[in-house]
């Protein structure tokens, strides 16, 4: 297993999804406290983390927020917990946690199901620029 820093939260994302890649760049922009590291679900480290957590990605092909040694969240809960770390008005997104998780995930799954059709797909995972390499596990 790869050695994961205990003071960082790991965001696992679909590395070939244009929407997901844009979301990662947005998180990097708003991660002024340097809380997050990233890895694609398809990467070596992503696969190791998924295996360690016992997640079946055929059922959860989704964003995963993993805090090593603490917990992990998926789908809408992961997205909302990520937004909660940003400054400004972003923590107001926590109001959506009052909605039933099943409803939030229904909306999330609808978008996820159509993400390639609406936003497109890359042939391979995003390769970070040299400036962003330190934010990625591999």
């Amino acid at each position: 297993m790869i050695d994961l820093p205990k003071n960082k939260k790991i965001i696992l994302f679909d590395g070939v999804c244009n929407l997901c890649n844009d979301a990662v760049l947005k998180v990097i922009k708003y991660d002024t406290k340097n809380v997050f590291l990233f890895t694609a679900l398809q990467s070596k480290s992503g696969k190791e983390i998924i295996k360690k957590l016992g997640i079946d990605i055929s059922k959860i092909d989704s964003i995963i927020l993993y805090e090593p040694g603490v917990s992990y969240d998926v789908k809408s809960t992961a997205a909302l917990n990520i937004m909660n770390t940003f400054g400004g008005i972003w923590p107001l997104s926590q109001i959506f946690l009052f909605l039933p998780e099943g409803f939030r995930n229904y909306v999330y799954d609808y978008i996820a199901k159509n993400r390639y059709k609406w936003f497109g797909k890359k042939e391979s995972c995003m390769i970070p620029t040299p400036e962003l390499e330190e934010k990625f596990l591999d």
Side-chain angles (χ1 to χ4, degrees):
M1 180 69 186
I2 56 174
D3 188 30
L4 299 174
K6 299 289 184 211
N7 64 337
K8 297 284 186 182
K9 296 178 182 181
I10 314 298
I11 297 175
L12 292 93
F13 65 100
D14 181 349
V16 298
C17 167
N18 287 336
L19 173 64
C20 304
N21 283 291
D22 289 346
V24 165
L25 294 174
K26 182 82 64 190
V27 172
I28 290 170
K29 176 181 175 182
Y30 289 109
D31 184 23
T32 58
K33 298 174 189 168
N34 198 24
V35 173
F36 299 110
L37 292 176
F38 303 86
T39 191
L41 294 167
Q42 300 88 345
S43 70
K44 181 181 180 231
S45 58
K47 289 176 183 177
E48 287 183 30
I49 293 169
I50 290 164
K51 183 177 178 182
K52 175 185 167 87
L53 297 175
I55 295 173
D56 180 357
I57 60 167
S58 69
K59 295 179 183 165
I60 302 178
D61 178 19
S62 164
I63 188 170
I64 300 168
L65 174 61
Y66 175 50
E67 190 169 355
V70 179
S71 65
Y72 72 90
D73 296 306
V74 297
K75 299 185 180 190
S76 65
T77 303
L80 290 169
N81 285 336
I82 291 166
M83 288 186 272
N84 192 41
T85 67
F86 304 156
I89 64 167
W90 287 100
L92 292 176
S93 66
Q94 299 309 286
I95 196 160
F96 292 109
L97 287 172
F98 291 107
L99 295 172
E101 186 175 34
F103 174 76
R104 291 191 331 258
N105 284 340
Y106 176 80
V107 174
Y108 182 97
D109 288 339
Y110 180 76
I111 295 168
K113 178 181 166 188
N114 292 292
R115 68 186 186 262
Y116 296 145
K117 181 171 49 171
W118 294 342
F119 301 98
K121 182 177 178 180
K122 298 181 183 310
E123 291 297 316
S124 61
C125 291
M126 175 177 85
I127 299 174
T129 63
E131 302 84 42
L132 298 180
E133 272 185 1
E134 66 187 23
K135 299 289 284 177
F136 289 82
L137 294 178
D138 58 24

